[in-house]
Amino acid sequence: MSNQDLQAYRASLLHFLADPAFSDQSHDWHEDGLLIVADGKVQAAGDYAALHATLPPGTVVHDYSGKLLMPGFIDTHLHYPQTDMIASPAEGLLPWLETYTFPVESKFGDPAHAAGVAEFFLDELLRCGTTTAMVYCSVHPQSVDAFFTASERRGLRMVAGKVMMDRNCPDFLRDTAESSARDTEALIQRWHNRGRSLYAITPRFAPTSTEEQLHLAGELARAYPDTFIQTHVSENEAECVWVRELFPKSRSYIDVYDSYGMMRPRAMYGHCIWLDGRDRQRMAETQSAAAICPTSNLFLGSGLFDFERADFAGVPLSLATDVGGGTSFSMLQTMNEAYKVARLGGSYLPALRMFYLATLGAARAMRLEGTIGSFAAGAEADFIVIDPQATPLLQRRTGRVESLEELLFALALLGDDRAIAATYSAGRRVHVRSPS
Ligand code: GUN
Ligand code: ZN
């Protein structure tokens, strides 16, 4: 390999090896560290003193001393068509969907509009240090093409899918069971595993799908077992009542999805608030994952995720913004609210755990460990440079921290997009913070 393929970065390095809730050796921390990237992949990560001698003479070392380098954040649930309606007021989920969400999503049949929003959305993710996301597009297949075209051009590792929705929604957003299955299969064939793009079969949520549509979604999930599945479950009490009326034979909301074969590895369930013990046990058994969306749950008044019960059952967990129900693209802001949700529910969420959930935890929940979310040798070099001095207050507070936990906690509680000095994807810099 020629020297040109090698890049090295000096900074404080952090990445995770295991879940801090269940392991004493959860992370790898090098105060003066070096990350070596070859051909867009991690070659090595460790102490500067040990590693720099291994570099071929003449290798440029990018100096981020004083900053914190870690794997890029992974946001496991958000909606790109909702970018323009983030922070829209409504009294709860169902009126919010009717009043704002559906009208805004109706515009995504226009490829030019979809392309413009996709570019802004990706810029925003990268500004916030998010290098991988699981993204809902709209019901229009064109919205998926627009999204992946934009993310592929930037070389990003992204997961996305066309919303399937054939009832209980406006006519102008309704597909049919057959058309949604046909379109989804064509999109899987066009995009899944093409470059860094990955496809998610995306029934919006049980109330907007007929049994026939859920059946066909389950068949696709079986036919393409390495695709992702994403949907919403047990977000809001009124929604849960509605699901009981629509599916009287199902034991619970998540059991609707279970009965159609949609609980399996690589299934990502948004919210998971109003679950019972059997629901959580099924998630753990099937290795279906939860996307915890605290800013959205507080904003829409949906409820509090129960970290303790989820951990007791062994549900794979991850954190997500749920933009535009969520109120920020920033995973740091998302951690801030996750911490408070845990406190209100009687749990405690250490900062180390939150950063784990936003990186390796999410990669594990998505069955992408070894590919993204850590600095394991061979992993894709998606990483961020965090500036602990990004604002006067951060500078003051982080100047006084006495442990890694305190540093990460201050970043989670006080940080946002301003704390992300740079974002790299597959070893290429895709965002640099402009001077303020
Ligand atoms: N449930 C069904 N659709 C949506 C959506 O777009 N956002 C949220 N938060 N919940 C949903
Ligand atoms: Zn959502």
Side-chain angles (χ1 to χ4, degrees), residues 79 82 93 96-97 101 105 204-205 232 235 271 296 300 322 325:
H79 303 253
Q82 296 175 16
L93 171 66
W96 176 83
L97 285 173
T101 315
E105 293 194 8
R204 180 174 211 116
F205 66 154
H232 299 81
E235 174 177 5
H271 305 292
S296 168
L300 291 170
D322 191 28

Side-chain angles (χ1 to χ4, degrees), residues 77 79 82 85 93-94 96-97 101-102 105 136 163 165 203-208 231-233 235-236 239 253 270-271 293 296-297 300 302 322-326:
H77 178 127
H79 303 253
Q82 296 175 16
M85 51 150 296
L93 171 66
L94 300 176
W96 176 83
L97 285 173
T101 315
F102 291 152
E105 293 194 8
Y136 288 63
V163 159
M165 176 156 72
R204 180 174 211 116
F205 66 154
T208 49
T231 189
H232 299 81
V233 74
E235 174 177 5
N236 166 287
E239 171 209 17
Y253 189 163
H271 305 292
C293 307
S296 168
N297 298 157
L300 291 170
S302 301
D322 191 28
V323 163

